[in-house]
Amino acid sequence: MTDTHFELTDDTALSLVQSSHGDWIFPALNGVHFASTQENGQQSPAQAILQQHFGQRLHAQDRLYLLIGSDSGQLIRFVQSQAPLPRGSRWVFIEPPAIAEILRAFPPIAELLDDFVQLMTPEEWENAQELMQLDAYLRIGGVVFEQSLAALDHTTNHYQALTGALDAELSSQRYMITANLGKLPFIRAQLGNLPNFFQSLLPLKNLFAGKTALILAGGPSLDQEIDWIIRHRAQLFLIAVSRISARLRQLDITPDFVVTVDPHPVSFTVSRQMFEFDERTILVAGNHAYPGIVNRWPHRLLYTDELLPWTESPNAEEPPLNVPGNLISAGPTVTHTCVTLAAYLGFTTIAFAGLDLCHAANGQTHAKGSSEAAAGPLLDYTAVAVTTNQGESAWTTPDYYAGITAMATLAKFFAPQGVTLVNPSAQGARIDGVIHRPLAELDWGEAPFDRHAMDQALTVDPTQLRDHLQRRKQAIETMREDIHKISRLAQLGQESNRAFFHMVNPARQALHRRRMRAIDRLMRHRYAAAEQLVKAAVQHILVATDLPNDFFALDPSQAEALGRQFYEGILHGAAEITRLLPTIESRLDTRLAELDPNEPATALLARYEAFDEPERVLWLSKARGLSPSVTASTEARYQQMLDELLAADRQRNQEKRAPKASLRLAELHFSQKNRAAVHTLEQALRQHPEPTEANRYANYALGLMYELDQHWPEALAAYTAVLNEGNPQTDSVLLEHTLLRAASASLMVHDTAQASQALSTAALINPSHWPLVARLAELRQDLPSAIDAYTQYLARFPGDATNLRALARLFFQLGSAEGIHQCRALIPLCPDAAQASLAQELDALLRALQPAS
């Protein structure tokens, strides 16, 4: 009785029972969701609740739905209830083996399973991924990962583990499969950077062969290395990710390179202090880095990968704009790009500071000075267990887990080239191929690091800039014309596709088929670059016209729809790119104007505001030494834009750091008996920006910590504080869990009355706990209270044969034949297989109560 949490080894908890409304469920999993005793006019309250929660989220076309848990099979019913199911979609419900076995043996659920709606165990899913076309669905962005209500409320650690493992696996596979798919945000950013990129990294290739570089990443362990970095700064070549710029500015550390790759606006807000670095710092930007950063950067700038997001036609008279041999970045994070950058420069030892890729015990994910650190610990995430370099367990998110896998791949790739990766962080995730060793043990040399060769290699001939800009402008103008032609061809393709399926004359059908093939050849050969760009912009749409549809089963209307979807995708992509190009051309004209020393600064500032790049004001201010009075208006526009981005960034951080999310994290640490982690989390919650709400969860964590210490009175005091402060409307899950822990702790101090009271209150929140209340009352020899608890439970779940039998036996002890007759009336609601034996047992009890003749 000391552990009241549901366990899969509990046979009674694994029984499907019928509720008072006729829904068959596992009370321990879904009692809190589907146990209403109120009549609401719905035939199935379970289905009504699932409809309210999921709506239409599980019924889109061309999707692979992966769901952790099936809510006692009710979620399978919900999916199948909306027939006909959308074409091209599949549903996989993943349950622990014990639950899956029971559901498959239950005819009403078994008959709902087919080739498209399947119930699997985790092991079965591992073997079925190819059959279910996981890779194909990932390529079209069609994988939907959802959790059942039971999994969301983490009733058991089994669901937590399943959710973490599957989420991590999907994140890793999604990155590997979609890394090369053209996505519009990346193309938009790459085009947006076209006016500003002039120097590739090619002049620096292998410049520092055989030397050692230090990459400053953004994890919490960076703070442990800062003092050493400050003392040895002169000996180091520092490559810093842009998001730690605030921390480096606080400490007056100037990196040699600052690196950014993210195309999204959040990259600007978390890195905005980078603009305070002096001219010694060089920005290395991924070709699809956020254009606002590239626009504002006032110093030297290098870019990775290709300049243009399309393949150029060969031209013997002019060198290509996409420089052959430039650094090709790799990996899902900016730190991975830093590794490829260091190796490209020739460094053979690449060390890190702040490479964690997992969370500190207090939930922190980033170093001091970052917006994430300021927002507090990350509390809402799917946890994936990893092992740290010092052999301890830690948690990470699926995207970080994908980063661990990618870093191991980089280490393996560079090892044959003599490149060694070193991570000194004891708290960092252990990564195959990355050596764990303190920075002080590496050979950094005694003399200051000499970077003069790099500075000399990066000289720029100003006379070439105008020519570069003119060639880019011409490339954009040509692309705009070709995309217009692609749009016209797609419109003709639409007409032919429609006519082909609606023409009666077979001869005319053949004509339209030939026309569509001719259109395809024209796009593919005469306008190859434009077709490539347009398709890349909407590849996630176009792939859906190929996969994973069963073409042999398509009727003419479905085939026509696929053709229409293809041409509509082309038109959509062409329209998206066409909208971008005029602004890029205008910005190219602005850069040409910047080269003219006679162009008034006020005219350039006006252009910055007109073409939505007010952040460029810093570059102009530095280049021309302008006074603040001249730039005030444009600076104000920039500040307004920045304030809007910062507000969105704060909201993003707060959503992931709500105190309520710490409940799951605290119980993960508690289940591992990790007292230090529970304590650190409790302390972090005490410092949360929302102290009133956070203190309730901090007190719960404090109670868990005392339980681990076996200090039961102190644990009860902490739980009492939670119960006194909790809000039943907003903290029902916290209160339920606290009451269960309080009952367990009360039993440890032999206070069965208090334990009974706590369990009874928990049962008012989640009626699946009433049998626990009854059993405890039996132990206390309080049979009336036990009968009342069983009655409360059976009012909601009258088809629970096990607890119905227990109630009948109590009535027998009290000599109540009437009570046994009431139990017997519920037998028809029990599973068919249990009815005969249950009737025999209750009849035997009735006969035993009859006086001897």
Side-chain angles (χ1 to χ4, degrees):
M1 287 298 300
T2 59
D3 187 356
T4 56
H5 285 291
F6 168 74
E7 293 292 341
L8 292 179
T9 55
D10 184 345
D11 293 335
T12 60
L14 278 176
S15 299
L16 272 175
V17 303
Q18 190 171 190
S19 74
S20 59
H21 293 279
D23 292 323
W24 289 85
I25 68 172
F26 296 112
L29 289 179
N30 292 114
V32 70
H33 307 112
F34 305 145
S36 172
T37 58
Q38 302 298 316
E39 293 292 342
N40 56 10
Q42 295 286 342
Q43 182 178 4
S44 168
Q47 294 298 299
I49 290 167
L50 291 172
Q51 175 64 51
Q52 181 180 7
H53 179 77
F54 288 102
Q56 296 301 310
R57 294 209 312 269
L58 302 182
H59 289 87
Q61 183 174 300
D62 295 321
R63 297 290 185 270
L64 173 60
Y65 292 99
L66 298 176
L67 300 104
I68 297 296
S70 64
D71 282 329
S72 306
Q74 292 294 326
L75 199 46
I76 300 174
R77 284 185 58 201
F78 173 72
V79 166
Q80 289 281 27
S81 67
Q82 300 193 28
L85 294 178
R87 181 178 57 81
S89 291
R90 292 173 171 85
W91 294 258
V92 177
F93 296 89
I94 301 176
E95 288 278 17
I99 293 178
E101 181 180 353
I102 293 173
L103 290 174
R104 286 168 174 161
F106 187 54
I109 298 299
E111 66 188 18
L112 296 175
L113 302 175
D114 53 35
D115 289 342
F116 298 95
V117 179
Q118 299 196 29
L119 175 63
M120 298 184 184
T121 66
E123 183 178 357
E124 290 168 343
W125 163 245
E126 287 290 329
N127 298 325
Q129 293 182 16
E130 184 176 352
L131 179 66
M132 300 302 291
Q133 301 187 54
L134 173 64
D135 289 359
Y137 282 105
L138 284 171
R139 277 195 291 274
I140 66 172
V143 175
V144 179
F145 179 55
E146 289 275 4
Q147 298 178 73
S148 63
L149 296 179
L152 282 171
D153 289 339
H154 49 84
T155 313
T156 78
N157 287 333
H158 297 74
Y159 279 135
Q160 295 179 27
L162 282 180
T163 300
L166 183 58
D167 203 353
E169 172 192 315
L170 289 177
S171 296
S172 180
Q173 290 181 264
R174 183 179 287 111
Y175 170 74
M176 289 188 292
I177 288 173
T178 63
N180 295 320
L181 288 183
K183 297 294 184 181
L184 189 58
F186 294 87
I187 293 173
R188 185 183 291 119
Q190 191 173 353
L191 288 170
N193 287 323
L194 195 60
N196 295 320
F197 285 158
F198 293 101
Q199 269 200 314
S200 72
L201 282 147
L202 191 58
L204 305 185
K205 189 171 184 178
N206 292 323
L207 192 64
F208 298 122
K211 296 185 181 297
T212 301
L214 180 60
I215 295 174
L216 305 182
S221 66
L222 173 67
D223 300 315
Q224 300 169 11
E225 309 293 345
I226 285 295
D227 290 341
W228 185 92
I229 293 170
I230 292 173
R231 291 196 305 271
H232 296 86
R233 173 63 189 95
Q235 302 160 246
L236 308 175
F237 187 90
L238 295 183
I239 303 174
V241 302
S242 61
R243 70 181 313 116
I244 64 166
S245 297
R247 182 68 170 148
L248 299 184
R249 289 296 302 139
Q250 291 172 357
L251 300 165
D252 197 26
I253 296 175
T254 301
D256 296 285
F257 282 163
V258 61
V259 184
T260 183
V261 299
D262 192 338
H264 302 292
V266 66
S267 180
F268 192 101
T269 59
V270 301
S271 306
R272 64 191 183 279
Q273 291 84 359
M274 65 188 289
F275 304 115
E276 299 172 16
F277 290 132
D278 61 35
E279 66 279 358
R280 290 173 294 174
T281 299
I282 299 170
L283 173 62
V284 176
N287 63 349
H288 52 60
Y290 183 63
I293 291 177
V294 177
N295 283 343
R296 189 166 177 79
W297 183 251
H299 310 308
R300 284 182 294 182
L301 169 65
L302 305 174
Y303 67 90
T304 72
D305 301 279
E306 295 184 332
L307 186 67
L308 300 174
W310 65 83
T311 302
E312 298 174 87
S313 299
N315 188 335
E317 297 179 1
E318 295 179 327
L321 291 173
N322 287 334
V323 179
N326 192 26
L327 168 67
I328 303 299
S329 57
T333 73
V334 64
T335 306
H336 296 83
T337 296
C338 290
V339 173
T340 59
L341 169 63
Y344 184 87
L345 297 177
F347 290 102
T348 51
T349 302
I350 303 172
F352 301 93
L355 180 68
D356 294 287
L357 293 176
C358 64
H359 301 174
N362 63 358
Q364 287 289 1
T365 58
H366 293 79
K368 294 177 182 177
S370 64
S371 60
E372 289 86 355
L378 184 65
L379 301 173
D380 181 17
Y381 61 93
T382 299
V384 182
V386 294
T387 302
T388 66
N389 282 321
Q390 62 184 4
E392 295 182 349
S393 294
W395 300 104
T396 193
T397 52
D399 55 340
Y400 275 15
Y401 188 81
I404 293 170
T405 303
M407 191 64 75
T409 301
L410 284 179
K412 183 178 181 180
F413 175 79
F414 286 124
Q417 305 173 33
V419 177
T420 302
L421 305 187
V422 180
N423 186 11
S425 173
Q427 294 80 31
R430 184 181 295 164
I431 304 172
D432 290 342
V434 178
I435 299 171
H436 172 49
R437 184 176 301 161
L439 295 179
E441 294 183 7
L442 302 179
D443 182 10
W444 300 96
E446 298 296 329
F449 191 94
D450 185 0
R451 52 171 272 179
H452 289 97
M454 180 179 70
D455 294 328
Q456 293 173 358
L458 294 179
T459 56
V460 178
D461 183 356
T463 62
Q464 295 180 351
L465 297 182
R466 184 174 296 277
D467 178 62
H468 276 299
L469 289 169
Q470 292 287 9
R471 288 184 59 206
R472 294 173 196 195
K473 188 176 178 185
Q474 181 59 51
I476 290 294
E477 290 172 352
T478 301
M479 179 56 65
R480 183 167 59 172
E481 294 172 1
D482 287 352
I483 287 179
H484 175 72
K485 295 170 183 175
I486 288 284
S487 294
R488 181 58 186 150
L489 288 171
Q491 290 170 348
L492 292 173
Q494 270 189 322
E495 294 170 5
S496 293
N497 179 69
R498 183 169 55 251
F500 176 82
F501 287 101
H502 291 277
M503 283 284 183
V504 177
N505 189 331
R508 299 293 294 173
Q509 284 186 317
L511 173 65
H512 290 299
R513 182 189 294 112
R514 288 197 300 272
R515 179 176 293 175
M516 283 189 283
R517 288 175 177 171
I519 288 170
D520 182 68
R521 285 195 299 271
L522 277 172
M523 286 185 181
R524 199 173 297 271
H525 299 292
R526 186 174 297 180
Y527 308 112
E531 185 209 37
Q532 175 192 359
L533 179 60
V534 168
K535 284 188 172 181
V538 289
Q539 192 165 357
H540 60 295
I541 297 175
L542 296 183
V543 176
T545 64
D546 295 324
L547 293 170
N549 302 290
D550 298 318
F551 285 107
F552 294 109
L554 294 181
D555 59 33
S557 65
Q558 292 171 332
E560 179 191 1
L562 282 179
R564 183 173 63 251
Q565 184 179 354
F566 173 81
Y567 290 118
E568 286 177 351
I570 294 291
L571 287 169
H572 176 71
E576 290 286 353
I577 299 297
T578 300
R579 275 194 288 269
L580 298 175
L581 296 185
T583 298
I584 305 305
E585 289 184 272
S586 298
R587 291 184 179 181
L588 284 165
D589 286 334
T590 301
R591 299 302 178 269
L592 286 166
E594 289 173 351
L595 295 176
D596 183 357
N598 297 318
E599 184 76 15
T602 52
L604 292 173
L605 292 170
R607 291 187 67 87
Y608 295 160
E609 296 189 38
F611 301 115
D612 199 26
E613 51 177 349
E615 67 278 358
R616 185 72 175 167
V617 64
L618 178 63
W619 179 90
L620 185 66
S621 180
K622 294 282 187 180
R624 297 202 177 184
L626 301 178
S627 67
S629 61
V630 175
T631 61
S633 173
T634 311
E635 281 285 2
R637 277 282 304 276
Y638 162 69
Q639 190 61 48
Q640 179 184 0
M641 177 199 74
L642 179 61
D643 289 342
E644 292 173 358
L645 292 178
L646 288 172
D649 193 33
R650 282 192 294 271
Q651 181 179 358
R652 175 183 63 89
N653 283 325
Q654 289 168 0
E655 288 173 352
K656 291 291 187 180
R657 288 162 171 82
K660 183 178 294 186
S662 69
L663 177 63
R664 185 168 181 269
L665 194 60
E667 293 186 342
L668 283 170
H669 294 322
F670 180 71
S671 68
Q672 287 197 330
K673 296 181 171 54
N674 190 339
R675 184 193 184 282
V678 177
H679 174 65
T680 308
L681 178 61
E682 182 254 339
Q683 291 298 306
L685 285 164
R686 299 293 184 196
Q687 302 169 21
H688 197 279
E690 301 174 18
T692 302
E693 180 183 1
N695 276 336
R696 298 195 285 273
Y697 291 87
N699 285 330
Y700 181 71
L702 181 63
L704 295 179
M705 187 173 64
Y706 280 131
E707 280 204 69
L708 290 173
D709 292 338
Q710 299 187 13
H711 294 169
W712 311 113
E714 291 84 352
L716 284 168
Y719 295 142
T720 300
V722 177
L723 298 174
N724 289 337
E725 299 168 6
N727 184 329
Q729 274 67 49
T730 60
D731 299 324
S732 61
V733 176
L734 172 65
L735 294 176
E736 177 193 350
H737 287 226
T738 302
L739 287 162
L740 294 176
R741 297 314 316 166
S744 178
S746 297
L747 290 174
M748 297 306 297
V749 295
H750 309 293
D751 190 341
T752 54
Q754 182 170 269
S756 180
Q757 182 182 4
L759 278 178
S760 298
T761 308
L764 294 175
I765 301 173
N766 185 344
S768 69
H769 301 312
W770 281 118
L772 292 174
V773 178
R775 292 169 201 162
L776 183 56
E778 288 184 69
L779 290 175
R780 299 173 59 221
Q781 301 299 309
D782 185 356
L783 299 190
S785 294
I787 289 174
D788 180 65
Y790 279 126
T791 302
Q792 291 275 10
Y793 175 78
L794 290 168
R796 294 162 175 82
F797 307 110
D800 190 327
T802 300
N803 287 296
L804 186 60
R805 180 181 289 108
L807 177 59
R809 289 171 178 169
L810 290 181
F811 279 130
F812 176 76
Q813 291 184 48
L814 294 178
S816 173
E818 180 183 356
I820 299 176
H821 279 295
Q822 291 173 354
C823 292
R824 205 182 189 294
L826 298 179
I827 290 178
L829 299 176
C830 294
D832 292 344
Q835 290 183 18
S837 61
L838 186 58
Q840 290 176 4
E841 183 172 342
L842 267 59
D843 287 344
L845 294 177
L846 288 171
R847 287 194 298 271
L849 286 179
Q850 294 175 357
S853 56

